[in-house]
Amino acid sequence: VTDSRIVEAFSELAPNYEKVMDWELRFMWGLGYRQFVEMLVQAVSVAEDDVILDIATGTAVIPNMLALNACAQGHIVGLDITASMLRQGAHDIRQTRTTSPISLVCASAMDIPFCGSAFDVSICGLGMHHLDVPQALSEIGRTLKVNGRLVIGAVGVPPFWRTWWGARIVARTIRFVYRLTHSGPRADAEVEAIDNLHTEQEWREILSDSLLDPIQVTVIPPRLFWGPNALIITAQRAPAPSAH
Ligand SMILES: C[S@@+](CC[C@H](N)C(=O)[O-])C[C@H]1O[C@@H](n2cnc3c(N)ncnc32)[C@H](O)[C@@H]1O
């Protein structure tokens, strides 16, 4: 799926994004959207003056919640490729407060427009499956300070998906149902993202390969045993290996 198809999908979704996510998350995990975001925000410790990057921020629900909970003196950058999602977020931020520690930046997570070691904390909620995961993690690793914290709220898959039945039947059925129930661009974006979904164990390996030490992975089980689960993954930026 090209970036422009992703932008088309999320531009279409932007006005109803929260409502749609709330329905989908309750269906998949029996958990409301706001409840999931709260779990994500609470999974990472944030100091008052931390500088935070929220990747694939969408309508900026995560920055808004962080600003309410902590970071009175710090700064939060919400980055997303879809301008309509950011516009919706900017509108919501204006409704919540008059002054805000949040900046919204329209850019790709594949090429984060900030210098190295700029952030104390990075967050990515429900966005990783739309990205090239190794490239996104490389950019996150570059822009995080050493010992900086990362939390990812990912759509994951149970180990069953790696079995013969899981690979052939479940993933194909989900692809088919998505095409039946969703519009063209959104169906394309979600169907393509299925190959980016990983198990808890795969995430641990992927993070270790990217100079990010996995700390904890919390699994929220799916409502239907074969469906996608939710993973809340915390990690820390490891120091670069020495030349010797
Ligand atoms: C499911 S939404 C998640 C939004 C938000 N993080 C949340 O928790 O509600 C996925 C977001 O990823 C964004 N996205 C997809 N590809 C991207 C990329 N290459 N760079 C930045 N954002 C991207 C989309 O525009 C969309 O807003």
Side-chain angles (χ1 to χ4, degrees), residues 6 10 17 21 33 56-58 62 79-82 85 107-110 125-127 130-131:
I6 296 253
F10 283 99
Y17 174 73
M21 290 312 280
Y33 169 67
T57 195
I62 294 172
L79 176 143
D80 201 282
I81 204 171
T82 308
M85 292 288 273
S108 174
M110 301 295 91
L126 302 172
H130 294 299
L131 308 178

Side-chain angles (χ1 to χ4, degrees), residues 6-221:
I6 296 253
V7 170
E8 212 182 322
F10 283 99
S11 299
E12 210 176 84
L13 191 58
N16 298 314
Y17 174 73
E18 267 199 55
K19 225 186 297 168
V20 172
M21 290 312 280
D22 195 58
W23 189 90
E24 291 185 359
L25 266 51
R26 284 180 197 282
F27 177 73
M28 285 194 300
W29 306 326
L31 202 70
Y33 169 67
R34 288 261 160 185
Q35 211 182 338
F36 179 75
V37 174
E38 259 163 41
M39 288 177 75
L40 198 61
V41 166
Q42 279 164 13
V44 64
S45 63
V46 171
E48 271 197 352
D49 56 353
D50 275 348
V51 182
I52 302 171
L53 175 63
D54 181 38
I55 292 155
T57 195
T59 56
V61 174
I62 294 172
N64 236 336
M65 201 175 279
L66 275 167
L68 285 176
N69 290 356
C71 336
Q73 277 113 58
H75 197 84
I76 311 164
V77 176
L79 176 143
D80 201 282
I81 204 171
T82 308
S84 313
M85 292 288 273
L86 294 174
R87 267 195 293 275
Q88 183 69 43
H91 173 264
D92 297 346
I93 292 167
R94 278 196 300 275
Q95 301 285 304
T96 326
R97 54 179 64 81
T98 46
T99 59
S100 157
I102 305 169
S103 308
L104 299 179
V105 174
C106 193
S108 174
M110 301 295 91
D111 189 11
I112 298 176
F114 291 97
C115 61
S117 306
F119 297 96
D120 300 285
V121 175
S122 283
I123 302 183
C124 184
L126 302 172
M128 213 35 114
H129 55 293
H130 294 299
L131 308 178
D132 172 335
V133 175
Q135 173 66 14
L137 290 177
S138 153
E139 279 295 89
I140 290 171
R142 182 183 66 77
T143 50
L144 253 188
K145 293 178 183 168
V146 168
N147 296 327
R149 285 93 70 208
L150 167 67
V151 59
I152 299 172
V155 182
V157 296
F160 170 69
W161 278 46
R162 299 297 180 241
T163 63
W164 190 91
W165 282 102
R168 278 160 191 78
I169 310 289
V170 178
R172 277 183 202 175
T173 306
I174 290 181
R175 279 191 173 88
F176 178 69
V177 170
Y178 244 111
R179 292 247 175 255
L180 275 184
T181 55
H182 287 71
S183 75
R186 177 90 204 279
D188 285 350
E190 300 300 335
V191 164
E192 187 82 4
I194 289 177
D195 290 334
N196 274 346
L197 305 184
H198 297 290
T199 64
E200 174 192 355
Q201 186 52 35
E202 287 164 0
W203 266 112
R204 288 182 190 278
E205 288 157 18
I206 293 168
L207 286 169
S208 304
D209 289 346
S210 310
L211 271 188
L212 291 155
D213 290 335
I215 296 175
Q216 198 182 348
V217 184
T218 305
V219 183
I220 299 164

